[in-house]
Amino acid sequence: MLPRREATALDGRRVVDVAIIGAGFAGLAAARTISLLDPTVSVGLLEAGLIGDGPAGANSGFIIDLPHEVSSDGFGQEAAAKFRQSVLLQRSAVALATSIADELSLAKDIFDPCGRYSIAMSAEGDKHLDEYASLLTHMGEVHRRLDNADTAAVTGSKAFKTSLFTPGTAIIHPAAFVRAWADALRSKINVYERSPALSIERSGAAWLIKTPAGSLETGKIILANNGHAQSFGFFRRQLIHVFTYASLTHEFDPAELSGHRKWAATPALPMGTTVRRINTAGGDRILVRSRYSYNPDIAVTPGAISRAGKLHDKKFAHRFPGLRDVGMEYRWAGAMALTRNHVPAFGEVEDDIIAACGCNGLGASNSTASGIAAAELALGRDSDLLQIYRSMPAPTSIPPEPFTTIGARAQLAYREWRAGVE
Ligand SMILES: Cc1cc2nc3c(=O)[nH]c(=O)nc-3n(C[C@H](O)[C@H](O)[C@H](O)COP(=O)(O)OP(=O)(O)OC[C@H]3O[C@@H](n4cnc5c(N)ncnc54)[C@H](O)[C@@H]3O)c2cc1C
């Protein structure tokens, strides 16, 4: 990991035109967009912890350009329009990430526009990939179907039944990428780390955000703190707090696994397992991401990480029996905020407070896009992207407790069961 000097915490009272709360994908995208659209606008970006330590730095690193699922209305006009909207939105994120990588000359191990495999382990997954490939053909999207032997030639594993390659996904080293991005922004805007926004209150015509050691007076606020937006009273009973889990192996000798030294695969069925092979100077590693849990208090226990780890070990052994002696070195979990009707928690929630929250899973793409749109809205600009966000309905309310907990846990269990070996 590249060495970095963390930004100072906010102290004293500062005045900015726009304050952004949260330095994940949404907050960083909003900050970058404002600094590009109007460099005269002063911006203060508040991050509660250290940039890269949160979900934006602890994910699997896929900036995905295509929607995952085949719509239930097949190839109908409405489904096609929705597909194109998602593509525009997700590709705006890939384009932004690509421009950052170009500007900063990021190495391939931090940003690589290498595409993604969708991998099937079962007959059901295989069927899903066939349907998805037909959809991509219908939509004119480039893709390649790989049989068992071709998939094994890439992954070094015969456990994967078939796969489908699409070239538009960018793969990042998430922590290194968001830190490099934030550090480059520091010449244009004020970035404050270890500076959680504790409260938002009116101060005459302005807003005042208080942190433990200081305050930001601002004309506008962009809320980019995902599920934590509810701690300021926004989107109460509209956000569903879900954690997902990952494990990363120790480094192993590349000769122990044939195939490409670097590839990245998402599961054929949405709730399945993501797998990545990463090559570093010291050897190769495999990342396994699987398991979802519903955590309404936005916190996870070491026990839950350990239980998910046992599942990862099983999935890893099934896929790579030849690497049975390579154990996991790191395990972690991270929060996501979903909504019941799968729309973002986006828009002006109060005068001059704009939300870019509710990542709904694919946050590397979706939150980046919503951060761009939130910045455009804050500056009074318009774009096709912002029009898409304006056309989306508000997140629907979730039922009162204990019904949400029971329902969410049952849904996750059912969908994980459906994903089966995937
Ligand atoms: C293990 C794992 C793997 C994943 N893999 C992928 C993947 O491959 N591709 C993908 O697209 N998505 C993936 N995701 C999901 C993705 O990481 C999230 O959707 C994404 O990070 C959401 O971005 P965001 O900017 O909306 O929110 P976050 O990344 O959560 O950023 C919000 C930031 O706000 C800060 N914050 C919160 N409260 C305050 C406050 N009061 N004051 C100041 N700051 C505050 C937090 O510290 C945090 O840094 C994965 C998630 C996990 C956990």
Side-chain angles (χ1 to χ4, degrees):
M1 187 85 63
L2 301 174
R4 74 182 288 266
R5 196 169 42 87
E6 68 180 75
T8 51
L10 177 70
D11 65 350
R13 189 174 172 122
R14 308 284 164 107
V15 182
V16 289
D17 297 319
V18 180
I20 301 171
I21 301 179
F25 291 107
L28 291 170
R32 176 180 164 88
T33 304
I34 293 175
S35 71
L36 288 177
L37 287 178
D38 189 348
T40 65
V41 172
S42 59
V43 177
L45 175 59
L46 295 172
E47 168 53 42
L50 286 179
I51 289 165
D53 282 2
N59 56 73
S60 319
F62 292 68
I63 309 183
I64 296 177
D65 67 320
L66 291 168
H68 261 335
E69 297 198 42
V70 179
S71 159
S72 52
D73 117 24
F75 302 163
Q77 267 189 4
E78 205 180 310
K82 233 175 126 192
F83 183 94
R84 283 191 216 294
Q85 269 197 357
S86 295
V87 168
L88 191 149
L89 197 148
Q90 291 175 233
R91 288 203 173 135
S92 68
V94 176
L96 181 142
T98 306
S99 58
I100 292 166
D102 289 347
E103 275 167 37
L104 304 181
S105 304
L106 294 181
K108 278 263 169 76
D109 59 341
I110 299 180
F111 175 91
D112 194 350
C114 59
R116 157 183 75 109
Y117 295 86
S118 291
I119 288 200
M121 301 281 294
S122 64
E124 196 192 344
D126 192 37
K127 183 166 161 266
H128 189 87
L129 290 187
D130 278 340
E131 286 166 7
Y132 192 56
S134 305
L135 173 70
L136 294 180
T137 304
H138 182 73
M139 299 306 298
E141 291 291 344
V142 176
H143 61 280
R144 186 160 46 90
R145 247 342 220 125
L146 287 81
D147 63 13
N148 180 258
D150 287 344
T151 305
V154 174
T155 61
S157 168
K158 288 221 160 66
F160 301 117
K161 202 169 170 63
T162 64
S163 60
L164 182 149
F165 177 75
T166 50
T169 290
I171 298 294
I172 56 172
H173 179 317
F177 184 81
V178 295
R179 283 175 190 150
W181 182 3
D183 290 349
L185 276 173
R186 280 160 67 177
S187 61
K188 302 184 185 98
I189 65 159
N190 305 295
V191 178
Y192 303 104
E193 292 181 83
R194 301 188 199 274
S195 303
L198 301 176
S199 64
I200 300 175
E201 57 199 54
R202 271 287 179 203
S203 168
W207 286 107
L208 191 68
I209 303 172
K210 290 193 175 150
T211 66
S215 59
L216 263 191
E217 187 183 314
T218 182
K220 285 186 195 288
I221 297 175
I222 294 179
L223 260 188
N225 57 343
N226 212 9
H228 293 280
Q230 71 177 40
S231 58
F232 301 111
F234 301 114
F235 304 108
R236 282 256 159 90
R237 305 227 50 79
Q238 286 173 297
L239 298 173
I240 305 169
H241 304 289
V242 166
F243 274 72
T244 190
Y245 301 78
S247 295
L248 185 67
T249 65
H250 287 276
E251 286 173 346
F252 59 86
D253 181 345
E256 289 185 63
L257 182 66
S258 63
H260 298 184
R261 293 271 314 271
K262 190 179 183 186
W263 49 267
T266 48
L269 299 178
M271 297 290 283
T273 304
T274 300
V275 186
R276 245 182 97 172
R277 181 171 179 175
I278 299 160
N279 63 331
T280 66
D284 291 5
R285 295 179 190 265
I286 301 277
L287 177 141
V288 179
R289 192 227 37 88
S290 197
R291 178 108 181 86
Y292 293 92
S293 63
Y294 174 61
N295 303 73
D297 48 357
I298 325 185
V300 78
T301 61
I305 295 177
S306 161
R307 281 191 297 282
K310 290 203 172 90
L311 178 76
H312 295 162
D313 292 349
K314 224 167 96 187
K315 303 254 180 199
F316 176 67
H318 184 190
R319 285 156 176 77
F320 305 103
L323 295 178
R324 69 179 73 79
D325 296 332
V326 179
M328 297 293 173
E329 185 168 0
Y330 302 107
R331 301 194 195 274
W332 67 95
M336 297 184 297
L338 317 186
T339 61
R340 204 173 168 198
N341 51 341
H342 314 292
V343 295
F346 180 88
E348 195 160 17
V349 287
E350 209 162 299
D351 283 352
D352 297 320
I353 302 184
I354 295 162
C357 301
C359 65
N360 282 293
L362 289 182
S365 310
N366 288 336
S367 292
T368 299
S370 75
I372 299 170
E376 291 170 344
L377 186 57
L379 296 188
R381 306 294 176 101
D382 204 358
S383 71
D384 290 347
L385 183 73
L386 181 54
Q387 287 303 327
I388 293 176
Y389 279 96
R390 282 187 188 280
S391 72
M392 290 179 182
T396 47
S397 294
I398 55 177
E401 289 300 350
F403 302 107
T404 298
T405 298
I406 294 166
R409 289 192 174 145
Q411 266 285 332
L412 288 175
Y414 170 70
R415 296 187 69 190
E416 281 188 335
W417 171 78
R418 276 214 56 197
V421 291
E422 303 290 344

